[in-house]
Amino acid sequence: MTNFTLNGLNVQVEEGTTLLEAAKFYGFPVPTLCYHEGLSPYGACRLCVVEIGEGPRAKLVSSCTYPAEEGLKVRTASTRVLRARKMVLELLLASCPQSKVIQDLASAHDIRRQRFKQEYEDCIMCGLCVRICEEQMMAKAIGFRNRGERRSIGTPFDIKSEECRLCGGCIYICPACQLRCTYTEPEKAICGACANLAPPCVEKEQFDDMMCYMDPCVACEIEKK
Amino acid sequence: MEKLLSVDEFVDFRRRVLKKAEDETEGLTLVVCAGTGGQASGSNDVIRVIKRYILDHGLHEKIKLRITGCQGFCEMDPFIVVEPGQHLYPQLKMEDVPPVIEAALGGYVEEDLIYHEPGERRTYHSQADIPFFQKQTRTILGNNQTLDPIRIFDYVERGGYGALEKVLLNADPERVINEVKASGLRGRGGAGFPTGKKWEMGRASGKPGEQKYVVCNADEGDPGAYMDRSLLEGNPHLIIEGMIIGGIAVGATKGFVYVRSEYPLAIKHLVIALRQARELGLLGDNILGTDLLFDVEIVRGAGAFVCGEETALIKSIEGEAGEPRQRPPYPIEKGIWGHPTCINNVETWANVPVIINRGAEEYARVGVPGSTGTKIFSLVGKIKNTGLVEVPMGITIDEIVYDIGGGPSGRAKIKAVQTGGPSGGCIPASMFDLAVDYDSLAKVGSIMGSGGMIVMDETTCMVDIARYFMNFLKDESCGKCFTCRKGTQRMYELLDDITKGRGTPEHLELLEELALAVKDTTMCGLGQSAPNPVLTTLRYYRHEYERHIYDKKCDAFVCKDLVGAPCQAACPLGTEAWRYVALLEKGDYEGAYRVIREPNPLPSVCARVCNHPCEEKCRLGTTGEAPVGIRALKRFVTDRADPAAYAPPRAADAYGKKVAVVGAGPAGLAAAHYLSLAGHEVTVFEAEDKPGGMLIAGIPAYRLPRDVLEREIAALLDDNVTLELNTALGRDVTIDGLLDDGYAAVFLALGAHRSRKLGVPGEEAEGVYPSMRFLKAFNLHGESLARGRVGVVGGGNSAVDAARVAVRQEGVESVTIYYRRTREEMPAYDEEIEAVLDEGVELVTLVSPVEVEQAEGRLAGVKFIKNELGARDASGRRRPVAVAGSEYVAPLDTLIVAISEEPETEGIAAAGLDVTKWGTLRTDPKTFETGRPGVFAGGDVVRGPDTVVEALADGKNAAAVIDRYLRGYELTIPPEVRLPEVFVAPAEVAEEEEAGAGRAAVLHLGVEARVKNFAEVDQCLTEGVARQEARRCLRCDLEFTQTEAEPEEVVAVGDKQE
């Protein structure tokens, strides 16, 4: 067992438990986006950062990937954590304003302005689809390609993958295109709490490239451009 | 090569090789650097010529040729070092090689080709004496020169594999680890983790018998850094030896060298070296017959910057995409395929044999506590001696940059160094006394990094630098962490906005907030250090960001969208120099005159005495050639064109307010002119009996003929302008009086007419004159004050003017200028200094007056003290320091004090205006407002002694502000970027013409003809020369004015002919 301090509370967890699992277990809310219980943690979205250590050596780490260590001092909602989290959300919102998931998170964290140039990206590269495809569907039909600005997700050489069984897991798990909000005012794309229940694929013409790697898609049966 | 089967055989083998090397007398050897840098500079040609020469002359027995890896002095490549004697012949061309060989054979030094400092005559016969090498401690890098990297015998001859022998003879891993720990060696890859500690952890890590790995990280990705490359290229066995020792210490049986594919020569040499080591039995199963097992494999990286990060590197070795992962677990616990992996940088491995050979204690003697040993830096950028330097830790940046690096490569001063590549930070010149070690660098916000050191001078824009690095990082981020991937993109976006003139104060705030968030929320070292270039430039160069945002100015003239044409941007008046030069080339002199006259009320004056900032910034000049002679071309146009060609536009609505301008110098006259054009009635009050201010009182007629000046001033005095001469502020009029008299606004342009005193005893003696008094007496009243032996103290333009006037006066025997620094630092214009020396004036530098000696109340002589150059000040200039006991007396009959001028503001201060400690008026820099409403000021009274063109610009801009004031508008005019707008077709210049054209020389009146009179010295260019000179212009404006490629002629389908 590992003993450590969580928000001032002395806690004990099994060895190998991540900070996120511990926080959840003890009831401290930590927002996540790229984390899913059934998948291995990846640490891409940086939303789940928590502060560890003390004094000048204190730093932020992603709680989903960081294992609990003996004697560690963890703070899940310090000023530094909240400030960083807000910036992450502001960046997310600027890139992917139509995602209902991101809008809700932004709203919950009191994001009132969005200062970056608005983009309408379909993907935040959280890798949930890649992981569900590999770990749960045992398919490895899709993966990451390239790096930096040109990073993208897709099938090798953009050819329909023979491994793909059209399970739809990727589109099911995607936080960016699931329940895509069609937003009435694109420039102020902070959630107006509209209940949008239409599947995103229906409005496919509005988006250049859906995060759907199935061809044809079983949800909408529209052939991919 | 025979395989060595036991440690004893190995020991014996080494003895034999070393003995043989000792017995052989040092023959004549030519050493040629053929690292990647050397080859790029042409060392292969040099090698070819040497080989041919040796073959042709049958010199195999007499001369040896050693082809080595990089030796570090890359600026001088290709070069030959002749051993023994260490004669270094730099930057050789193919035809230079035979004389060098002949000299080597003849046992003499070829003086014409041997090394000398750029710009100096003194030659250096031995490499060791060259300043570049003197302050270095080349423990690691020095070996590169002594061996051919593809010959293992060369390495063994220099004592190579001696450390391995020591370790094998006493095969106790713990002892090796303790030795490395005691040495204090820290990781040379940048983070500085103690190597011994890592090894200890590595030894303890893993289950008994578990596979372990050691890795040499040669994924050197920082732009401008190439020390790892040079080590691998130049001395691969050193790295292999280090890795074998490391493998033994940690208990690893397998080593990887992760090297970028961009380093083909390094890979080639490493492959050869590994093969040789295996053949000799140093690698493989049962090393030297022992039960030790160790081999090294090369893994080629595909060039991703992030693969230098250890967890990404592991992924890459495993065959996956290079993406960092969370640490812990650290690679030393779980690395390649989950096994303990000890990763060290190339340079770290290279240090290991040195530690074992010398002993930890001896090793730790170099450097400072906490950072021991030496560090190799690649010194690049705006530096004279580009190359690799190896210095003891704790040396100051100042020593690296100036003593080893030789200072700036161009004329611009060094502003900062960037250490640690894209992850590092910029350290400003004011902090160059900083010791270079891990902790000091971290303290100022930078990092040691792998050792890139990029030197930047004043022509480097720090905002642009931050943008450059962010552009690099947004491509090289692996993209896993959202904040690194998107954060670098967004930082780039914000920086790009600022460099393009779209920046707002919010940009700065957001940029800083974002940079801190990215630093905080990313997983690996790349993301955590990615904001460093932004954060350090924001910390030390925030004023540059603010200049870009608030004033829309890039002072380094880098950001294209803020600069436009550099000549135009450099001119305080915004004169479109490119445009009149282009029109001149076409022969449209009247058009050119209109372009010149429109922004400048005194064009003929500026054509003669302007300090031509346009030429300083001319892109032809900043790219290595002589700048276009813009001022001479302006002179040609103003001399030739009829001023009537330009009629200044007048405001349609005469607003008719009364404005008082005090002072009829360039600032006052310009203000009066533009206020008059705006429809106001202006009265100019002038204390002297002639208008012109410093133009007439200070500048002598041989530079600015009086008829030219008078004509130009007269043209400005129109019906709206009244000139009141012999009316001084304080004596005849007061500010209160003027405001009471119905003047709605007052513009103070009093100038700076009082010379500063020396502040030495005896200065009040007869025969000592302040320069302004001396110049005014002559220029305004024709009175000659100089006689006998004349001394002038000072190094500025007024000192030179005074000296040149004195030389022309009757009864003067000799004139000498005394200056406290050296000639290079004299603020006077170069052409003026040359002219004054031509006219027979003597220049004595590095002296300061300490006392004026008198005889019966009259000057008899001046006691000077000699100076030497001391430490550098913040401007990078070396401060003059008095040499005790070096006083001497110079007998003089006249002494002119010209150290500086200041305005006479005591009277104004009484009127309630704010005066600085330098005696200048304090005003709002943008609106020219003094503390009193309606009272404005500009020119030298605000700036202190400054240039004519700055005064004109002040007057002109103040007029615009005063007009707004009178009309009741907001005073601040929002800054605007003036980009070239008018298209003038470019001249067709053939390539041969372009190559052959040099700057047209301005002809001067011969010394005999000018020295005893006041005829104008500079002559006007002839028409042919002027038009030829105009053709040299690069036409930077076309980038902005030329529309897309001219539409091709449309041929109707039917008209198309075969």
Side-chain angles (χ1 to χ4, degrees):
Chain A
M1 296 299 266
T2 309
N3 295 290
F4 71 104
T5 321
L6 188 58
N7 291 342
L9 197 71
N10 292 321
V11 299
Q12 197 179 45
V13 293
E14 263 179 58
E15 210 158 308
T17 310
T18 64
L19 296 181
L20 179 68
E21 286 160 348
K24 278 189 186 267
F25 181 79
Y26 282 98
F28 293 109
V30 175
T32 58
L33 194 55
C34 74
Y35 173 80
H36 196 279
E37 274 180 2
L39 301 173
S40 59
Y42 188 55
C45 74
R46 317 311 292 170
L47 203 54
C48 69
V49 284
V50 296
E51 192 176 1
I52 61 167
E54 278 175 308
R57 298 190 66 88
K59 59 177 183 179
L60 301 189
V61 297
S62 49
S63 61
C64 65
T65 54
Y66 204 91
E69 288 171 340
E70 191 66 33
L72 200 65
K73 292 203 164 48
V74 182
R75 293 169 295 284
T76 63
S78 65
T79 324
R80 189 169 166 191
V81 169
L82 294 180
R83 198 169 47 215
R85 224 173 253 167
K86 280 186 120 169
M87 181 52 85
V88 174
L89 279 167
E90 196 175 331
L91 280 168
L92 281 166
L93 197 60
S95 296
C96 226
Q98 68 276 20
S99 158
K100 180 81 167 63
V101 179
I102 292 170
Q103 288 182 7
D104 288 348
L105 277 166
S107 177
H109 284 82
D110 201 27
I111 308 291
R112 293 274 170 262
R113 56 185 178 162
Q114 197 289 94
R115 294 167 289 176
F116 299 101
K117 278 194 193 112
Q118 190 69 70
E119 289 173 344
Y120 299 100
E121 290 189 356
D122 300 307
C123 181
I124 53 166
M125 308 281 160
C126 68
L128 278 171
C129 52
V130 176
R131 281 176 285 150
I132 198 171
C133 189
E134 176 180 351
E135 295 172 15
Q136 293 295 338
M137 303 307 161
M138 310 298 171
K140 281 199 190 182
I142 51 173
F144 285 109
R145 305 175 297 195
N146 230 321
R147 64 179 184 274
E149 228 184 354
R150 293 182 305 281
R151 187 174 168 97
S152 66
I153 295 174
T155 54
F157 310 109
D158 277 326
I159 298 166
K160 180 184 181 322
S161 170
E162 286 171 14
E163 307 296 329
C164 177
R165 304 191 296 274
L166 301 179
C167 70
C170 49
I171 204 157
Y172 157 77
I173 205 158
C174 179
C177 57
Q178 251 247 327
L179 294 183
R180 193 188 289 263
C181 174
T182 50
Y183 49 83
T184 46
E185 288 174 277
E187 298 310 319
K188 295 176 186 169
I190 294 177
C191 185
C194 55
N196 171 33
L197 300 173
C201 317
V202 176
E203 296 170 55
K204 194 160 185 171
E205 300 76 46
Q206 293 187 11
F207 303 100
D208 294 337
D209 186 19
M210 296 293 297
M211 289 299 100
C212 171
Y213 304 104
M214 297 177 294
D215 190 15
C217 170
V218 287
C220 57
E221 292 178 358
I222 297 172
E223 210 162 314
K224 209 170 173 221
K225 274 181 274 186
Chain B
M1 212 178 320
E2 52 169 337
K3 189 159 183 166
L4 304 172
L5 296 173
S6 72
V7 176
D8 290 341
E9 270 183 42
F10 174 57
V11 173
D12 186 50
F13 164 77
R14 284 198 67 243
R15 296 288 169 279
R16 278 201 326 265
V17 175
L18 285 169
K19 180 89 176 32
K20 189 161 159 263
E22 215 171 278
D23 292 347
E24 270 177 20
T25 45
E26 278 286 299
L28 191 59
T29 310
L30 301 180
V31 186
V32 184
C33 166
T36 302
Q39 291 192 5
S41 305
S43 63
N44 283 338
D45 289 340
V46 170
I47 292 168
R48 216 171 50 238
V49 176
I50 296 176
K51 282 183 177 165
R52 169 58 52 85
Y53 192 94
I54 291 177
L55 281 177
D56 289 354
H57 295 76
L59 295 167
H60 317 75
E61 302 296 318
K62 286 192 181 146
I63 296 184
K64 276 194 254 172
L65 169 64
R66 191 191 305 138
I67 301 165
T68 73
C70 178
Q71 298 177 19
F73 207 1
C74 306
E75 185 71 35
M76 295 302 157
D77 271 329
F79 60 85
I80 295 178
V81 178
V82 178
E83 286 180 3
Q86 312 290 335
H87 310 307
L88 191 150
Y89 296 96
Q91 293 178 335
L92 294 174
K93 291 181 204 69
M94 277 154 82
E95 62 269 25
D96 297 336
V97 176
V100 169
I101 302 178
E102 279 153 28
L105 285 168
Y108 61 92
V109 169
E110 178 59 56
E111 282 290 336
D112 291 342
L113 295 170
I114 194 84
Y115 181 83
H116 64 92
E117 287 278 279
E120 272 180 42
R121 297 185 71 95
R122 195 194 144 188
T123 55
Y124 294 83
H125 282 196
S126 170
Q127 183 187 348
D129 297 337
I130 296 173
F132 177 76
F133 292 102
Q134 266 195 333
K135 278 216 173 173
Q136 296 194 47
T137 308
R138 294 161 69 88
T139 316
I140 311 285
L141 202 58
N143 293 327
N144 276 15
Q145 193 171 340
T146 63
L147 54 90
D148 186 335
I150 56 171
R151 288 171 45 86
I152 191 168
F153 283 94
D154 269 22
Y155 182 65
V156 179
E157 269 175 32
R158 313 292 156 193
Y161 287 112
L164 181 63
E165 183 185 302
K166 258 190 176 177
V167 171
L168 287 174
L169 287 175
N170 193 345
D172 181 6
E174 302 290 338
R175 268 185 59 172
V176 175
I177 290 175
N178 285 336
E179 198 74 7
V180 175
K181 264 174 91 175
S183 73
L185 175 67
R186 291 172 71 174
R188 296 289 191 254
F193 191 81
T195 307
K197 201 169 156 195
K198 191 186 267 184
W199 287 15
E200 194 175 38
M201 286 156 70
R203 177 143 199 89
S205 171
K207 294 184 271 297
E210 186 176 348
Q211 171 76 51
K212 291 183 196 175
Y213 299 102
V214 292
V215 175
C216 171
N217 184 350
D219 189 71
E220 185 179 43
D222 292 359
Y226 58 108
M227 48 267 140
D228 293 349
R229 167 185 220 151
S230 297
L231 280 179
L232 279 176
E233 280 175 11
N235 201 354
H237 283 289
L238 184 66
I239 315 297
I240 296 171
E241 188 180 359
M243 286 182 75
I244 300 174
I245 295 171
I248 292 172
V250 176
T253 52
K254 175 100 191 182
F256 288 100
V257 179
Y258 187 89
V259 56
R260 344 182 62 200
S261 290
E262 289 98 322
Y263 287 4
L265 192 65
I267 294 174
K268 182 178 149 197
H269 288 180
L270 193 60
V271 167
I272 294 172
L274 284 173
R275 197 182 59 221
Q276 290 171 340
R278 249 174 241 135
E279 278 171 9
L280 209 59
L282 299 174
L283 287 174
D285 301 343
N286 307 92
I287 294 175
L288 297 171
T290 62
D291 53 359
L292 286 168
L293 181 82
F294 189 76
D295 208 346
V296 175
E297 189 184 315
I298 299 174
V299 179
R300 297 184 196 195
F305 178 66
V306 72
C307 286
E309 201 278 340
E310 56 179 11
T311 55
L313 183 144
I314 288 170
K315 277 265 168 63
S316 183
I317 288 179
E318 289 172 354
E320 293 187 37
E323 243 176 44
R325 61 155 173 81
Q326 180 75 54
R327 297 179 310 178
Y330 287 90
I332 204 72
E333 299 154 2
K334 274 194 164 69
I336 301 174
W337 293 298
H339 298 301
T341 304
C342 176
I343 303 176
N344 285 122
N345 164 268
V346 175
E347 207 186 325
T348 318
W349 289 120
N351 270 287
V352 170
V354 178
I355 293 170
I356 304 294
N357 275 329
R358 296 194 177 178
E361 207 176 310
E362 187 64 31
Y363 179 88
R365 244 176 235 151
V366 180
V368 289
S371 299
T372 54
T374 58
K375 175 81 192 91
I376 306 176
F377 289 99
S378 63
L379 197 57
V380 295
K382 309 278 180 66
I383 186 97
K384 214 174 258 167
N385 296 332
T386 300
L388 292 183
V389 303
E390 183 176 350
V391 290
M393 293 269 192
I395 194 174
T396 62
I397 298 178
D398 193 89
E399 286 171 287
I400 297 179
V401 169
Y402 288 103
D403 298 342
I404 298 173
S409 56
R411 287 176 56 181
K413 279 184 289 192
I414 288 177
K415 171 157 93 173
V417 292
Q418 153 97 17
T419 65
S423 314
C426 295
I427 300 167
S430 59
M431 296 168 75
F432 275 9
D433 53 352
L434 188 82
V436 176
D437 59 65
Y438 291 99
D439 308 313
S440 310
L441 285 175
K443 232 171 264 169
V444 298
S446 187
I447 57 168
M448 175 83 79
S450 58
M453 200 173 257
I454 303 171
V455 180
M456 297 162 185
D457 67 13
E458 281 170 336
T459 60
T460 316
C461 168
M462 299 317 266
V463 185
D464 185 65
I465 282 292
R467 175 174 159 269
Y468 165 82
F469 281 121
M470 233 21 80
N471 189 27
F472 176 86
L473 287 164
K474 81 178 165 55
D475 288 339
E476 290 300 338
S477 156
C478 81
K480 179 177 178 177
C481 291
F482 176 74
T483 40
C484 176
R485 180 172 60 88
K486 211 73 219 182
T488 50
Q489 282 175 41
R490 295 299 195 176
M491 280 192 275
Y492 173 78
E493 198 176 282
L494 292 169
L495 289 164
D496 194 50
D497 270 0
I498 295 174
T499 58
K500 294 218 159 65
R502 296 192 294 258
T504 62
E506 289 77 39
H507 272 76
L508 216 51
E509 192 189 316
L510 185 57
L511 183 65
E512 201 161 13
E513 212 181 308
L514 176 61
L516 289 170
V518 171
K519 199 178 178 64
D520 248 6
T521 59
T522 46
M523 185 183 281
C524 79
L526 189 151
Q528 282 160 12
S529 58
N532 279 354
V534 173
L535 287 171
T536 52
T537 50
L538 270 174
R539 182 158 153 198
Y540 300 118
Y541 295 96
R542 186 176 278 268
H543 56 276
E544 287 195 24
Y545 282 86
E546 286 169 350
R547 275 288 272 176
H548 283 71
I549 290 171
Y550 295 107
D551 304 335
K552 307 291 177 208
K553 285 245 162 35
C554 174
D555 294 323
F557 281 67
V558 171
C559 300
K560 217 169 57 184
D561 298 278
L562 296 181
V563 171
C567 50
Q568 183 181 356
C571 181
L573 290 165
T575 309
E576 297 158 294
W578 54 270
R579 189 169 158 199
Y580 70 73
V581 170
L583 291 171
L584 190 163
E585 193 274 331
K586 304 234 171 308
D588 181 3
Y589 304 139
E590 287 200 351
Y593 183 80
R594 279 193 292 272
V595 173
I596 292 172
R597 174 61 184 85
E598 195 260 326
N600 186 346
L602 298 173
S604 301
V605 171
C606 282
R608 288 170 169 84
V609 301
C610 186
N611 62 325
H612 49 70
C614 46
E615 294 183 25
E616 309 300 323
K617 297 291 180 190
C618 174
R619 202 158 279 156
L620 202 57
T622 53
T623 51
E625 282 186 60
V628 177
I630 301 174
R631 190 177 79 183
L633 294 178
K634 178 181 255 183
R635 164 89 188 270
F636 170 80
V637 174
T638 53
D639 271 17
R640 177 171 284 253
D642 178 9
Y646 178 79
R650 286 186 171 275
D653 54 332
Y655 205 69
K657 291 270 187 178
K658 273 172 71 184
V659 183
V661 171
V662 184
L669 289 170
H673 175 61
Y674 286 102
L675 282 165
S676 152
L677 294 182
H680 305 290
E681 276 177 48
V682 189
T683 311
V684 182
F685 299 94
E686 169 57 49
E688 301 291 345
D689 56 4
K690 285 175 195 147
M694 205 54 113
L695 297 177
I696 192 158
I699 300 177
Y702 59 83
R703 279 174 70 196
L704 180 55
R706 294 304 179 237
D707 56 329
V708 173
L709 178 62
E710 279 161 17
R711 200 166 52 229
E712 209 136 65
I713 293 176
L716 299 181
L717 301 176
D718 56 31
D719 293 346
N720 275 352
V721 182
T722 319
L723 184 63
E724 298 265 357
L725 295 172
N726 295 313
T727 315
L729 186 73
R731 189 184 67 200
D732 307 306
V733 289
T734 61
I735 293 172
D736 293 303
L738 290 170
L739 291 172
D740 290 345
D741 270 357
Y743 289 102
V746 178
F747 180 60
L748 301 175
L750 307 170
H753 286 244
R754 181 169 58 203
S755 298
R756 275 184 211 277
K757 291 194 164 157
L758 284 175
V760 300
E763 203 177 343
E764 67 295 335
E766 199 186 317
V768 180
Y769 303 105
S771 67
M772 278 319 296
R773 168 139 182 254
F774 171 79
L775 286 169
K776 269 189 183 174
F778 186 81
N779 288 337
L780 291 171
H781 313 297
E783 223 180 303
S784 298
L785 296 177
R787 64 178 187 81
R789 294 158 299 185
V790 180
V792 180
V793 177
N797 282 316
S798 74
V800 174
D801 282 344
R804 290 183 76 182
V805 168
V807 134
R808 285 166 167 78
Q809 290 187 348
E810 295 293 322
V812 169
E813 285 170 34
S814 68
V815 181
T816 312
I817 297 177
Y818 298 92
Y819 181 55
R820 65 196 179 108
R821 297 184 190 243
T822 64
R823 184 181 161 176
E824 282 69 47
E825 279 127 359
M826 281 176 77
Y829 307 150
D830 274 346
E831 67 254 30
E832 286 291 306
I833 301 174
E834 265 158 45
V836 77
L837 295 176
D838 286 347
E839 287 166 12
V841 171
E842 205 190 327
L843 175 64
V844 179
T845 55
L846 287 171
V847 288
S848 297
V850 284
E851 193 183 343
V852 174
E853 305 214 329
Q854 307 184 12
E856 295 158 17
R858 218 200 120 71
L859 165 77
V862 176
K863 187 190 272 181
F864 287 99
I865 190 162
K866 290 185 180 166
N867 295 326
E868 59 184 9
L869 292 178
R872 260 180 209 89
D873 57 21
S875 71
R877 300 193 301 177
R878 296 178 65 179
R879 215 177 263 128
V881 181
V883 181
S886 67
E887 292 92 341
Y888 71 101
V889 176
L892 291 173
D893 303 305
T894 309
L895 179 70
I896 302 168
V897 181
I899 50 174
S900 185
E901 293 83 39
E902 58 188 2
E904 295 168 85
T905 43
E906 291 79 3
I908 319 177
L913 298 185
D914 201 3
V915 174
T916 66
K917 64 175 172 177
W918 296 284
T920 56
L921 271 182
R922 199 187 304 274
T923 57
D924 182 314
K926 291 205 173 68
T927 63
F928 303 93
E929 290 172 283
T930 62
R932 275 187 79 162
V935 179
F936 301 82
D940 284 0
V941 73
V942 175
R943 299 173 168 272
D946 208 334
T947 60
V948 174
V949 67
E950 289 285 3
L952 285 171
D954 271 6
K956 179 177 154 184
N957 296 333
V961 171
I962 293 170
D963 181 47
R964 292 171 79 92
Y965 170 79
L966 295 174
R967 290 170 195 261
Y969 299 156
E970 166 73 33
L971 292 192
T972 322
I973 304 167
E976 54 160 350
V977 185
R978 284 201 58 196
L979 299 176
E981 281 163 1
V982 182
F983 175 73
V984 185
E988 278 179 29
V989 182
E991 244 171 73
E992 314 83 74
E993 185 188 337
E994 206 173 329
R999 178 177 160 119
V1002 172
L1003 297 178
H1004 306 297
L1005 215 54
V1007 173
E1008 291 303 314
R1010 79 198 195 206
V1011 79
K1012 280 295 168 196
N1013 61 54
F1014 283 84
E1016 184 166 21
V1017 172
D1018 286 5
Q1019 304 297 300
C1020 189
L1021 297 179
T1022 61
E1023 184 168 11
V1025 173
R1027 288 181 69 171
Q1028 185 54 46
E1029 177 68 9
R1031 291 170 74 80
R1032 292 178 63 228
C1033 177
L1034 291 175
R1035 296 296 305 277
C1036 308
D1037 57 295
L1038 290 172
E1039 198 178 340
F1040 302 90
T1041 57
Q1042 201 162 32
T1043 42
E1044 299 296 302
E1046 281 169 43
E1048 282 173 38
E1049 239 173 274
V1050 182
V1051 184
V1053 180
D1055 295 349
K1056 201 174 179 184
Q1057 289 171 355
E1058 288 301 308

